[in-house]
Amino acid sequence: MYHPFSIVETLKSSWHIFKGNFVTIIVYSAITFLLLGVLSVALAFTFSPDDFTSTMIFSFIMLFIQAYSTLGLYKLIFTVIDSEYYEFEFSQIIPTIKMVLSYLAVVFLLAFIVTNYNIGVNMLEPYEDLQTLVMVFSTIVGLYLAFRIMFFNTFIVDDHSGPLESLKQSFMLTKGYLLKIISILGIILLLIALPIALSNFYPIISIAILFTYPFVNIVLAVTYRKLVYSHMDLDDSVAETD
């Protein structure tokens, strides 16, 4: 059976998953937002913002918690996809420490690259034309790479991949599908930006983030799965011609 990648089918499948597991996903999202808010306030009172060491500890703890909640959401999404016709246990949606550490390793690697890039760009301030050229070129390259490695977290959760392996797998997965992925991301950005823009006039709409946040992550998870199936079809067709 062939699985050609389709934007329409991806959105329809995502909506079907979201609608069929609405209560479970919304409850998880609500609890996550509540815990992050409470922990953020508690840690803010615990650590002094004027102390560099305290600030770094606070930032790392929050990053760790956010990584855990993000990977937990993807674990939940993949679990409800794979367990559509049978019950699953709470333990199945808890990410492992290896997953969290792999995720953080990628985040720190990207942060290191961005930090050193900013330092390099600032060193070019005496040469404005060269600095502008470097910034434009690096922005284009950066966006291209971001689109190619955007599924590293799904490989970490779904395939138990390590940090470098997940980046390589994401790069291979997006090969030949870049324009469709950009289209999917455009729809996702619209779903995120619309409630934010409307909340400026109607603050109550800000609660929509509880619905849009999990839904856009479902779209990304389904996109990942459908890309995997499409690549399997391509591999099978190549094998048949050998």
Side-chain angles (χ1 to χ4, degrees), residues 156-169:
I156 288 174
V157 173
D158 195 42
D159 202 46
H160 304 280
S161 302
L164 296 180
E165 183 186 10
S166 65
L167 290 171
K168 179 181 177 182
Q169 288 174 311

PDB file of all heavy atoms in Angstrom, residues 156-169:
ATOM      1  N   ILE A 156      13.660  11.447  18.328  1.00  0.00           N
ATOM      2  CA  ILE A 156      14.091  11.157  19.699  1.00  0.00           C
ATOM      3  C   ILE A 156      13.008  10.402  20.450  1.00  0.00           C
ATOM      4  O   ILE A 156      13.285   9.440  21.174  1.00  0.00           O
ATOM      5  CB  ILE A 156      14.450  12.473  20.435  1.00  0.00           C
ATOM      6  CG1 ILE A 156      15.769  13.040  19.893  1.00  0.00           C
ATOM      7  CG2 ILE A 156      14.556  12.241  21.942  1.00  0.00           C
ATOM      8  CD1 ILE A 156      16.129  14.399  20.453  1.00  0.00           C
ATOM      9  N   VAL A 157      11.743  10.814  20.268  1.00  0.00           N
ATOM     10  CA  VAL A 157      10.629  10.183  20.979  1.00  0.00           C
ATOM     11  C   VAL A 157      10.210   8.875  20.322  1.00  0.00           C
ATOM     12  O   VAL A 157      10.048   7.849  21.000  1.00  0.00           O
ATOM     13  CB  VAL A 157       9.417  11.144  21.038  1.00  0.00           C
ATOM     14  CG1 VAL A 157       8.198  10.432  21.622  1.00  0.00           C
ATOM     15  CG2 VAL A 157       9.752  12.363  21.879  1.00  0.00           C
ATOM     16  N   ASP A 158      10.036   8.880  19.014  1.00  0.00           N
ATOM     17  CA  ASP A 158       9.446   7.734  18.313  1.00  0.00           C
ATOM     18  C   ASP A 158      10.462   6.655  17.963  1.00  0.00           C
ATOM     19  O   ASP A 158      10.111   5.483  17.880  1.00  0.00           O
ATOM     20  CB  ASP A 158       8.760   8.227  17.030  1.00  0.00           C
ATOM     21  CG  ASP A 158       7.818   7.200  16.444  1.00  0.00           C
ATOM     22  OD1 ASP A 158       7.081   6.556  17.231  1.00  0.00           O
ATOM     23  OD2 ASP A 158       7.797   7.038  15.217  1.00  0.00           O
ATOM     24  N   ASP A 159      11.710   7.065  17.769  1.00  0.00           N
ATOM     25  CA  ASP A 159      12.742   6.106  17.350  1.00  0.00           C
ATOM     26  C   ASP A 159      13.847   5.942  18.389  1.00  0.00           C
ATOM     27  O   ASP A 159      14.805   5.227  18.150  1.00  0.00           O
ATOM     28  CB  ASP A 159      13.349   6.584  16.017  1.00  0.00           C
ATOM     29  CG  ASP A 159      14.004   5.465  15.243  1.00  0.00           C
ATOM     30  OD1 ASP A 159      13.390   4.389  15.116  1.00  0.00           O
ATOM     31  OD2 ASP A 159      15.145   5.652  14.773  1.00  0.00           O
ATOM     32  N   HIS A 160      13.716   6.642  19.515  1.00  0.00           N
ATOM     33  CA  HIS A 160      14.717   6.584  20.593  1.00  0.00           C
ATOM     34  C   HIS A 160      16.119   6.937  20.082  1.00  0.00           C
ATOM     35  O   HIS A 160      17.113   6.344  20.519  1.00  0.00           O
ATOM     36  CB  HIS A 160      14.740   5.200  21.248  1.00  0.00           C
ATOM     37  CG  HIS A 160      13.405   4.764  21.768  1.00  0.00           C
ATOM     38  ND1 HIS A 160      12.882   5.193  22.966  1.00  0.00           N
ATOM     39  CD2 HIS A 160      12.460   3.937  21.232  1.00  0.00           C
ATOM     40  CE1 HIS A 160      11.691   4.653  23.161  1.00  0.00           C
ATOM     41  NE2 HIS A 160      11.408   3.890  22.122  1.00  0.00           N
ATOM     42  N   SER A 161      16.177   7.887  19.166  1.00  0.00           N
ATOM     43  CA  SER A 161      17.449   8.272  18.555  1.00  0.00           C
ATOM     44  C   SER A 161      18.243   9.192  19.472  1.00  0.00           C
ATOM     45  O   SER A 161      17.683   9.919  20.302  1.00  0.00           O
ATOM     46  CB  SER A 161      17.206   8.976  17.220  1.00  0.00           C
ATOM     47  OG  SER A 161      16.488   8.143  16.339  1.00  0.00           O
ATOM     48  N   GLY A 162      19.576   9.167  19.285  1.00  0.00           N
ATOM     49  CA  GLY A 162      20.439  10.078  20.013  1.00  0.00           C
ATOM     50  C   GLY A 162      20.425  11.446  19.351  1.00  0.00           C
ATOM     51  O   GLY A 162      19.812  11.629  18.293  1.00  0.00           O
ATOM     52  N   PRO A 163      21.114  12.434  19.925  1.00  0.00           N
ATOM     53  CA  PRO A 163      21.066  13.808  19.402  1.00  0.00           C
ATOM     54  C   PRO A 163      21.555  13.946  17.962  1.00  0.00           C
ATOM     55  O   PRO A 163      20.839  14.492  17.116  1.00  0.00           O
ATOM     56  CB  PRO A 163      21.946  14.601  20.385  1.00  0.00           C
ATOM     57  CG  PRO A 163      22.728  13.580  21.133  1.00  0.00           C
ATOM     58  CD  PRO A 163      21.905  12.345  21.160  1.00  0.00           C
ATOM     59  N   LEU A 164      22.748  13.450  17.668  1.00  0.00           N
ATOM     60  CA  LEU A 164      23.295  13.595  16.311  1.00  0.00           C
ATOM     61  C   LEU A 164      22.539  12.717  15.326  1.00  0.00           C
ATOM     62  O   LEU A 164      22.296  13.111  14.177  1.00  0.00           O
ATOM     63  CB  LEU A 164      24.780  13.260  16.294  1.00  0.00           C
ATOM     64  CG  LEU A 164      25.688  14.188  17.111  1.00  0.00           C
ATOM     65  CD1 LEU A 164      27.145  13.741  17.004  1.00  0.00           C
ATOM     66  CD2 LEU A 164      25.544  15.631  16.633  1.00  0.00           C
ATOM     67  N   GLU A 165      22.165  11.522  15.777  1.00  0.00           N
ATOM     68  CA  GLU A 165      21.408  10.605  14.918  1.00  0.00           C
ATOM     69  C   GLU A 165      20.065  11.199  14.536  1.00  0.00           C
ATOM     70  O   GLU A 165      19.626  11.101  13.381  1.00  0.00           O
ATOM     71  CB  GLU A 165      21.207   9.270  15.627  1.00  0.00           C
ATOM     72  CG  GLU A 165      20.483   8.223  14.785  1.00  0.00           C
ATOM     73  CD  GLU A 165      20.164   6.967  15.564  1.00  0.00           C
ATOM     74  OE1 GLU A 165      20.333   6.969  16.799  1.00  0.00           O
ATOM     75  OE2 GLU A 165      19.720   5.978  14.942  1.00  0.00           O
ATOM     76  N   SER A 166      19.394  11.842  15.484  1.00  0.00           N
ATOM     77  CA  SER A 166      18.077  12.428  15.215  1.00  0.00           C
ATOM     78  C   SER A 166      18.175  13.576  14.212  1.00  0.00           C
ATOM     79  O   SER A 166      17.294  13.745  13.361  1.00  0.00           O
ATOM     80  CB  SER A 166      17.441  12.928  16.517  1.00  0.00           C
ATOM     81  OG  SER A 166      18.185  13.997  17.080  1.00  0.00           O
ATOM     82  N   LEU A 167      19.246  14.364  14.295  1.00  0.00           N
ATOM     83  CA  LEU A 167      19.449  15.452  13.334  1.00  0.00           C
ATOM     84  C   LEU A 167      19.668  14.894  11.932  1.00  0.00           C
ATOM     85  O   LEU A 167      19.103  15.403  10.957  1.00  0.00           O
ATOM     86  CB  LEU A 167      20.650  16.302  13.760  1.00  0.00           C
ATOM     87  CG  LEU A 167      20.470  17.154  15.023  1.00  0.00           C
ATOM     88  CD1 LEU A 167      21.800  17.763  15.435  1.00  0.00           C
ATOM     89  CD2 LEU A 167      19.430  18.241  14.808  1.00  0.00           C
ATOM     90  N   LYS A 168      20.476  13.849  11.846  1.00  0.00           N
ATOM     91  CA  LYS A 168      20.750  13.220  10.544  1.00  0.00           C
ATOM     92  C   LYS A 168      19.476  12.610   9.963  1.00  0.00           C
ATOM     93  O   LYS A 168      19.179  12.764   8.770  1.00  0.00           O
ATOM     94  CB  LYS A 168      21.819  12.144  10.706  1.00  0.00           C
ATOM     95  CG  LYS A 168      22.164  11.419   9.422  1.00  0.00           C
ATOM     96  CD  LYS A 168      23.219  10.340   9.656  1.00  0.00           C
ATOM     97  CE  LYS A 168      23.506   9.579   8.370  1.00  0.00           C
ATOM     98  NZ  LYS A 168      24.504   8.488   8.604  1.00  0.00           N
ATOM     99  N   GLN A 169      18.687  11.938  10.799  1.00  0.00           N
ATOM    100  CA  GLN A 169      17.453  11.304  10.329  1.00  0.00           C
ATOM    101  C   GLN A 169      16.453  12.347   9.844  1.00  0.00           C
ATOM    102  O   GLN A 169      15.768  12.132   8.837  1.00  0.00           O
ATOM    103  CB  GLN A 169      16.849  10.465  11.462  1.00  0.00           C
ATOM    104  CG  GLN A 169      17.613   9.193  11.767  1.00  0.00           C
ATOM    105  CD  GLN A 169      17.054   8.488  12.989  1.00  0.00           C
ATOM    106  OE1 GLN A 169      16.851   9.103  14.037  1.00  0.00           O
ATOM    107  NE2 GLN A 169      16.801   7.201  12.872  1.00  0.00           N
TER     108      GLN A 169
END
